[in-house]
Amino acid sequence: MAARQLWTPPKEAEAGLWNPGAPRLWSPRERSQSTSTVSSVFSASNADGRIRYSGRRFAQIIKLKAEYIDKYREVHAAVWPEVAKQIKECNIHDYSIFHDPDTGILFANFKYVGYDYEGDMEKMRENPKVREWWKMTDGFQESMVPGAKNSESGEPSWWKPVEEVFYQA
């Protein structure tokens, strides 16, 4: 794995325009703060002097195959410890998945609090237990992203990113 640079806020963040990875609209609160957007996204410095990233929320959807509803619930009631540990080590917090039984849609959301999202996602893909978990759970799902092959392949994304249109802290 090539060395990655630590995450730093891009100049676009000051204008409220930065949008890495999944689509995201800045909330009305963030847009109204214009020049103070950076301070609303970043907080106090760490001991090593880096600015602490307070997190970026992600949301995604996918369709759960009807015949796997019970199995999906069963495996998520006992997530493999190696998978849970890797999620935490990759700076993903407040991760949850919701299911709408009427449409079969799974809605996942989480907060990324690290400094290098792409690097952390690469670490996630390098973990053999995570890849094994993905292979199992991908079989329970139907991607809504044209051309998506599986979770491991990365692009296009297996789970469809959805745009945030409102946030209230």
Side-chain angles (χ1 to χ4, degrees), residues 75-76 79-90 92 95 120-139 141 150-154 158-159:
V75 300
H76 282 83
V79 173
W80 300 346
E82 302 91 344
V83 173
K85 181 177 183 235
Q86 188 66 60
I87 289 169
K88 187 170 282 225
E89 287 176 0
C90 288
I92 293 174
Y95 189 10
D120 282 336
M121 295 308 99
E122 190 174 315
K123 285 181 206 169
M124 184 87 69
R125 278 188 294 277
E126 290 174 352
N127 184 314
K129 278 308 245 190
V130 169
R131 288 195 315 269
E132 185 181 344
W133 175 267
W134 286 344
K135 185 174 182 178
M136 175 185 59
T137 59
D138 284 2
Q141 305 163 342
N150 55 47
S151 292
E152 189 176 349
S153 64
W158 182 244
W159 283 69

Side-chain angles (χ1 to χ4, degrees), residues 64-83:
L64 179 60
K65 295 175 185 176
E67 64 269 25
Y68 290 108
I69 292 171
D70 292 337
K71 185 65 175 172
Y72 193 83
R73 289 177 182 271
E74 178 187 320
V75 300
H76 282 83
V79 173
W80 300 346
E82 302 91 344
V83 173

